Amino acid sequence: MPQTQPHHHNSSKPKPKKPLPYAVGLLLRYSTFAASICLLGAGILLMHWSLIIIGGLATALGIYDLFQTKHSILSNYPVAGHLRFLFEDFRPEIRQYFLEDEKEKVPFSRQQRTLVYQRAKNISDTNAFGTLDDLYKQGTEWFLQSAVSAPLKNKDFRIDVGGKRCKQPYNMSVFNISAMSFGSLSANAIMALNHGAKIGNFTHDTGEGAISPYHRKFGGDLIWEIGTGYFGCRDDDGNFDADSFAEKAVDDQVKMIEIKLSQGAKPGKGGVLPSSKITDEISETRQVPRGQDCVSPASHSAFSTPLELVEFWQKLRDLSGGKPVGFKLCIGQPWQFMAIVKAMIETDNYPDFIVVDGAEGGTGAAPVEFMDSVGMPLIDGFLLVHNTLVGAGIRDKIKVGVSGKIVSGFDVARMLALGADWCNSARGFMFAVGCIQSRSCHTNTCPTGVATQDPYRQQALDVPTKSERVANFHKNTLKSLGSIVGAVGLSHPDDLMPYHIARRMHDGQIKLLSKFYYFADKGALLEQSARSDVYNQMWVMATAESFLADNDALIAYNVDSRDKGKSTKIPAFELP
């Protein structure tokens, strides 16, 4: 008879949990409600009014929770269930102040925000005991300093904007306030930003919400952004009104005009200002009715082709008295931007500037899918614009600005080294006026009075104090930029080049950015000889007569190409 093997208990296998008795579970669910009733009863017995009030309110809340049908949590956990919603409301603050590390970006890290706060308050931004970064991590970048570095005396770096058709060129700072509208921001925030721009002699982009009285109060230089809603220059049907535009554009405070084709946070989506945030002042400023959401359409009604866009910017240039006119966009389908470039060349009419907005940008609210998954990130979008203009032989005719998560001197220096002419910052200047990244911009309940139209909340934002902080942030960021430029051995940010920055690759190797990114040869697109053939393919797809791709031209190009096996479908482009 075989010997029975002893049974060994597997201690590593967890025992299934026994369900709690129903009565115990019921007690846990309703214990807080029961405690409220007991508190009320104790208050009545002791004739203690504070206990009666607290217990009575909690009991009434529990009774309401039991009979309401909207929230199952409150039905199962009367009174106590409200703690879940309370903690959820404060989750961003709890995460920021107690849980996240110094480098975690959601969307800006604690270290980034602290840097802005320190520079805005004009206090030391020096840190001790070494970097918090892992300098051997993939993607780490650094400037290559020079043995002949020297500090720079003048750190007010400026550039001239205006082409041959511009009669009033503008000399502007290389670091300015990006587009943020009155309506999404409060009156006090707009005044603080504009007064700070006046103090620091830099530029304030109005955003598409038109020029408000608060933009005008302190007289800081303005870039007037014209969006798809034509706010401030529209007729009753929401179309562009030339007379209304001309009346405002000739004002000396308006230095440049910017046509917004799309924005980084929600490219192709348009915009919405909720009716709850539309005050009488916003209604008058934007020329929109109260009581309904203020909607910016996804596309313009003043033009529908690249050639018509060229006509439109020339019209704005004429109506404004010859001021610099350009456009802003977040790159989507590359051949559409190339179509605009072809229209420029065909008409010999160039915008004075282009602003590239990265998909990582965004100061207000947008659908998650658009914030996360639509539009090209800043560096990729900028390089496509830069390379297209170089490849078309017209880069010297147009200044290019950039915007998208730029808050430090390194951020500015990096984009200028890649080829940008100037940088804009939106959220950096929001931090300077007191933003704490509560991420409640769309709720009208901003805790610091920055992004709200609640008159009581925005009173907390002291305009004189915050104006100084805006100017300080600008000044100290340029000081940091100057320190980098001097360390590299140069005298102006214009001299920064991609080979001044090194990047660590995934395998530990180091490449200069001049070798990491693709940079086009001058005029290469005109000859369809770009070293990156995807540029050649997208160029032949572009036509000045339409924003749609010319697939026949692509097929013809591929037939004639030395690479006979190339697909004739629209390419899934991969920029090097």
Side-chain angles (χ1 to χ4, degrees):
M1 186 174 179
Q3 191 173 5
T4 305
Q5 294 294 325
H7 174 72
H8 295 284
H9 174 67
N10 186 359
S11 59
S12 64
K13 186 177 181 180
K15 295 181 179 179
K17 292 183 178 180
K18 294 182 179 180
L20 290 172
Y22 181 77
V24 175
L26 196 68
L27 180 63
L28 291 175
R29 285 163 52 193
Y30 293 100
S31 58
T32 307
F33 181 37
S36 302
I37 297 173
C38 293
L39 190 65
L40 174 61
I44 293 173
L45 290 175
L46 299 174
M47 292 304 293
H48 196 293
W49 285 105
S50 61
L51 295 180
I52 293 174
I53 293 172
I54 296 172
L57 291 174
T59 301
L61 180 62
I63 294 171
Y64 167 78
D65 290 342
L66 287 173
F67 288 97
Q68 60 82 37
T69 57
K70 292 183 177 180
H71 300 288
S72 57
I73 289 177
L74 298 182
S75 295
N76 283 328
Y77 298 90
V79 184
H82 288 278
L83 293 175
R84 185 258 187 190
F85 299 107
L86 179 66
F87 288 130
E88 188 176 49
D89 285 342
F90 285 98
R91 181 180 180 275
E93 288 81 3
I94 293 171
R95 180 180 176 84
Q96 281 187 51
Y97 297 129
F98 303 111
L99 301 179
E100 73 178 36
D101 64 38
E102 294 293 307
K103 307 293 289 187
E104 188 176 2
K105 298 179 180 180
V106 283
F108 287 87
S109 69
R110 180 68 188 173
Q111 186 178 45
Q112 287 176 307
R113 300 194 307 274
T114 299
L115 178 67
V116 177
Y117 298 147
Q118 289 171 332
R119 288 180 173 168
K121 295 176 183 178
N122 217 20
I123 60 178
S124 174
D125 57 7
T126 301
N127 289 331
F129 221 63
T131 179
L132 299 178
D133 286 337
D134 176 5
L135 300 183
Y136 296 92
K137 182 177 64 176
Q138 175 189 348
T140 299
E141 294 178 347
W142 62 91
F143 271 96
L144 306 176
Q145 82 278 7
S146 169
V148 291
S149 61
L152 303 183
K153 295 181 180 179
N154 179 26
K155 299 183 178 66
D156 183 23
F157 306 116
R158 309 188 72 81
I159 59 167
D160 292 317
V161 181
K164 67 178 183 179
R165 293 176 184 259
C166 175
K167 298 177 182 178
Q168 300 184 52
Y170 177 54
N171 181 257
M172 68 184 299
S173 172
V174 299
F175 186 52
N176 302 284
I177 302 172
S178 194
M180 295 180 284
S181 302
F182 170 57
S184 61
L185 297 193
S186 68
N188 283 24
I190 292 293
M191 286 191 288
L193 290 170
N194 193 258
H195 193 200
K198 179 70 172 179
I199 296 169
N201 193 25
F202 55 101
T203 313
H204 180 192
D205 192 313
T206 65
E208 67 176 313
I211 305 172
S212 71
Y214 306 107
H215 288 99
R216 296 197 178 280
K217 183 171 182 178
F218 295 103
D221 288 356
L222 294 176
I223 300 173
W224 183 11
E225 183 178 273
I226 308 296
T228 55
Y230 306 110
F231 301 127
C233 56
R234 56 188 267 145
D235 60 22
D236 293 338
D237 297 321
N239 297 315
F240 177 71
D241 185 327
D243 293 334
S244 180
F245 170 80
E247 180 184 352
K248 301 176 180 68
V250 296
D251 189 287
D252 186 58
Q253 190 181 355
V254 177
K255 302 300 183 182
M256 303 202 302
I257 312 295
E258 178 181 279
I259 305 166
K260 190 194 89 169
L261 301 184
S262 57
Q263 67 185 90
K266 42 192 172 184
K269 182 71 169 68
V272 178
L273 183 65
S275 58
S276 61
K277 295 184 73 173
I278 299 178
T279 63
D280 289 335
E281 290 175 317
I282 293 173
S283 174
E284 182 178 352
T285 297
R286 296 196 177 199
Q287 299 172 337
V288 297
R290 288 206 62 182
Q292 62 189 57
D293 291 346
C294 176
V295 179
S296 303
S299 58
H300 281 265
S301 60
F303 56 87
S304 58
T305 69
L307 287 172
E308 290 177 357
L309 172 57
V310 174
E311 292 177 3
F312 186 61
W313 74 52
Q314 184 56 45
K315 183 177 183 178
L316 299 188
R317 193 181 277 142
D318 293 337
L319 291 171
S320 65
K323 293 181 178 179
V325 177
F327 61 88
K328 179 181 85 172
L329 82 168
C330 175
I331 292 294
Q333 298 173 5
W335 47 90
Q336 294 188 347
F337 174 74
M338 292 181 174
I340 299 174
V341 173
K342 284 190 172 182
M344 299 176 195
I345 296 172
E346 183 175 318
T347 59
D348 192 30
N349 191 327
Y350 305 94
D352 299 292
F353 65 92
I354 298 170
V355 174
V356 182
D357 203 12
E360 60 268 51
T363 55
V368 172
E369 293 86 353
F370 276 79
M371 285 194 292
D372 293 348
S373 308
V374 181
M376 195 176 288
L378 175 59
I379 292 178
D380 303 302
F382 166 73
L383 287 177
L384 185 131
V385 168
H386 177 73
N387 285 328
T388 299
L389 296 177
V390 172
I394 60 172
R395 180 62 180 89
D396 59 329
K397 299 178 184 295
I398 305 167
K399 290 292 191 292
V400 182
V402 293
S403 178
K405 292 193 78 170
I406 296 172
V407 296
S408 72
F410 176 83
D411 297 335
V412 176
R414 184 174 189 262
M415 292 310 304
L416 298 185
L418 289 175
D421 293 299
W422 86 84
C423 296
N424 293 334
S425 177
R427 286 169 290 183
F429 283 101
M430 286 179 70
F431 291 142
V433 295
C435 171
I436 60 170
Q437 195 173 274
S438 69
R439 303 179 69 187
S440 57
C441 307
H442 59 299
T443 64
N444 207 29
T445 59
C446 172
T448 58
V450 177
T452 179
Q453 296 306 309
D454 185 325
Y456 300 102
R457 288 178 179 271
Q458 64 176 290
Q459 280 180 2
L461 197 159
D462 182 67
V463 173
T465 301
K466 303 303 185 183
S467 300
E468 290 291 339
R469 292 186 180 181
V470 168
N472 287 339
F473 172 56
H474 175 267
K475 177 188 68 176
N476 289 321
T477 302
L478 287 188
K479 181 180 178 181
S480 170
L481 172 63
S483 297
I484 293 174
V485 173
V488 178
L490 305 173
S491 58
H492 193 280
D494 278 351
D495 302 323
L496 290 170
M497 294 294 170
Y499 53 74
H500 288 131
I501 304 179
R503 180 184 179 95
R504 187 175 299 282
M505 310 301 291
H506 68 280
D507 58 358
Q509 297 295 312
I510 297 171
K511 272 191 176 183
L512 301 180
L513 292 194
S514 56
K515 297 297 184 181
F516 181 77
Y517 293 113
Y518 168 75
F519 291 93
D521 299 320
K522 186 175 182 179
L525 287 177
L526 301 178
E527 302 171 356
Q528 296 175 14
S529 60
R531 287 173 287 109
S532 173
D533 192 60
V534 69
Y535 275 91
N536 298 325
Q537 294 186 62
M538 292 186 293
W539 180 257
V540 299
M541 292 163 62
T543 171
E545 288 75 28
S546 174
F547 285 112
L548 300 178
D550 186 345
N551 294 320
D552 292 337
L554 177 64
I555 292 171
Y557 170 80
N558 285 329
V559 169
D560 294 338
S561 170
R562 286 173 292 180
D563 184 0
K564 299 294 185 182
K566 202 182 304 297
S567 171
T568 58
K569 295 181 180 180
I570 295 176
F573 60 89
E574 294 181 2
L575 300 181

